[in-house]
Amino acid sequence: MYKVLVAFDIDRRAVEYMERNGISVEVRSDITQEEFDNVYHKYDAVVVRGNIKVRPSRGRGELDVIVRAGVGLDNIDLKGFSELGVEVLNTPEASTNSVAELTICLMICLARRLLPASSSLKQGKWMKAGVMGEELRGKTLGVVGCGRIGRAVSRLGSCLGMKVLVYDVVNVDEDFLRSIGARQVELRELLSQSDFVTVHVPLEESTRHLLGEEELRMMKRSAYLINVARGGVVDEGALKRALMEGRIAGAALDVFEREPPDDLELLSLPNLLPTPHIGAQTQDAQTIAGLRAAELVVSSLIKV
Ligand code: NAD
């Protein structure tokens, strides 16, 4: 009988699906990194989220497949496991909608100054006059990286009446662009024309500090930057300077170069809206990711 270790609180239906296919499932949502490192090789498959690092410290053992319930594979030693012949799979589509909705949520919060408006009222201050906002309708949305999430954000932005510009290293599907009235442009044009710039590229060597000092200087003073992709895609030091000097209007960060972030000066800036990496943190995304991960385990172990 195949044995699977699941290192988070996976949806019950996902467990039942694997069990119905003759797989013995052990759910250890409280497993520590050290415990995981010591036992992963005793299972035919492990299913993890981003909080556990998966590295071949004890070789391959019984392990055939690693499934990351989610997108980012940066917590898995891909090279090490590839050399050992272990398959690594993920569920990249599961969180697309949740991340796209959070992106739009952060854009509206920035535009309507929701954080100062609400936190001042909680302190008993009625500061209506001090929180004049703006609409998204009619504004230009710049989407950096037009894959699954970038496309979902572009579509939502277009539904809200925004003019959409996209930048990507590959050619974005013409039919898709036409369907939402969007244009693919160079990064420089996107940065200089957009009222909201949102980043949806993976963190790789080519995307590290894709938005740095120079790029931030290309943005309008009235523009907002949203990063729900990965810390490191935006140069946090350069962003901090831009926010402190008022070179852009504000930013929202769901991801940081170090998590949890330790730059309290950055976090406390009044024009920064930080969230603790909650892009995929919805019941819906977790359910879909769990079910999809279970399907991948079954199809990978029980090759029909
Ligand atoms: P995807 O692979 O579908 O899309 C990424 C796009 O970026 C692709 O179109 C690719 O061509 C483009 N790209 C790559 N390098 C580029 C570059 N140098 N310049 C411009 N474009 C470039 O990925 P996705 O599902 O849309 O997810 C995007 C990222 O979102 C993930 O890699 C992950 O880091 C992040 N994410 C964050 C959360 C969260 O909780 N905040 C959740 C899920 C995903």
Side-chain angles (χ1 to χ4, degrees):
M1 191 184 227
Y2 291 117
K3 286 197 302 175
V4 175
L5 171 65
V6 180
F8 63 97
D9 197 10
I10 198 169
D11 193 282
R12 186 71 220 153
R13 287 166 295 174
V15 175
E16 286 165 3
Y17 177 73
M18 289 187 275
E19 287 175 345
R20 272 203 307 280
N21 281 278
I23 294 169
S24 156
V25 183
E26 204 177 312
V27 179
R28 293 279 315 275
S29 53
D30 58 347
I31 196 163
T32 63
Q33 182 66 56
E34 197 184 346
E35 286 170 327
F36 184 89
D37 288 342
N38 285 330
V39 299
Y40 76 87
H41 64 294
K42 296 181 181 168
Y43 296 84
D44 299 285
V46 293
V47 185
V48 296
R49 286 184 57 187
N51 57 324
I52 287 282
K53 288 196 173 27
V54 192
R55 44 207 176 193
S57 47
R58 289 185 176 251
R60 176 173 182 167
E62 298 297 312
L63 195 63
D64 270 337
V65 60
I66 300 164
V67 180
R68 157 76 160 103
V71 184
L73 292 171
D74 30 323
N75 58 318
I76 299 171
D77 181 345
L78 295 175
K79 188 166 172 286
F81 283 109
S82 153
E83 281 164 8
L84 292 174
V86 176
E87 197 175 13
V88 179
L89 304 169
N90 63 347
T91 66
E93 64 294 331
S95 56
T96 300
N97 194 57
S98 290
V99 181
E101 285 188 9
L102 179 70
T103 307
I104 300 292
C105 162
L106 293 173
M107 282 164 52
I108 296 177
C109 287
L110 287 168
R112 301 307 296 269
R113 307 201 55 214
L114 210 78
L115 188 60
S118 182
S119 56
S120 55
L121 187 52
K122 278 174 180 277
Q123 288 161 16
K125 285 181 234 150
W126 186 259
M127 54 174 273
K128 184 169 172 173
V131 288
M132 182 62 78
E134 56 183 305
E135 293 186 357
L136 301 194
R137 184 179 55 170
K139 301 293 181 336
T140 298
L141 169 63
V143 178
V144 179
C146 201
R148 280 174 294 263
I149 297 171
R151 283 198 301 274
V153 170
S154 303
R155 210 176 280 116
L156 290 172
S158 157
C159 290
L160 291 167
M162 301 183 85
K163 177 181 159 194
V164 181
L165 300 177
V166 306
Y167 166 72
D168 201 299
V169 279
V170 299
N171 286 333
V172 179
D173 182 61
E174 294 264 341
D175 289 340
F176 168 73
L177 292 175
R178 208 172 305 114
S179 71
I180 60 164
R183 230 166 24 97
Q184 183 164 7
V185 296
E186 287 306 317
L187 184 58
R188 175 181 288 272
E189 183 179 347
L190 181 148
L191 293 172
S192 63
Q193 293 196 8
S194 297
D195 301 299
F196 295 85
V197 174
T198 180
V199 191
H200 304 286
V201 295
L203 177 61
E204 294 165 351
E205 271 325 299
S206 69
T207 58
R208 185 172 291 283
H209 292 186
L210 181 66
L211 296 192
E213 186 76 37
E214 198 186 332
E215 290 74 21
L216 292 169
R217 284 185 186 277
M218 292 176 193
M219 290 176 63
K220 296 182 190 177
R221 288 187 93 84
S222 56
Y224 296 97
L225 175 69
I226 298 97
N227 182 11
V228 297
R230 279 288 179 273
V233 171
V234 174
D235 178 345
E236 259 171 36
L239 176 63
K240 185 161 105 177
R241 288 190 292 280
L243 290 170
M244 289 172 101
E245 292 165 18
R247 278 188 275 115
I248 61 171
L253 294 179
D254 186 46
V255 287
F256 299 86
E257 294 194 13
R258 275 169 71 101
E259 293 186 4
D262 49 12
D263 186 346
L264 295 180
E265 197 179 30
L266 170 72
L267 295 175
S268 60
L269 290 176
N271 48 359
L272 179 79
L273 172 56
T275 48
H277 204 146
I278 56 169
Q281 198 73 2
T282 64
Q283 291 295 344
D284 311 83
Q286 298 312 320
T287 299
I288 299 168
L291 294 174
R292 181 73 189 122
E295 282 174 3
L296 291 172
V297 167
V298 170
S299 60
S300 173
L301 289 183
I302 304 165
K303 296 200 167 71
V304 278

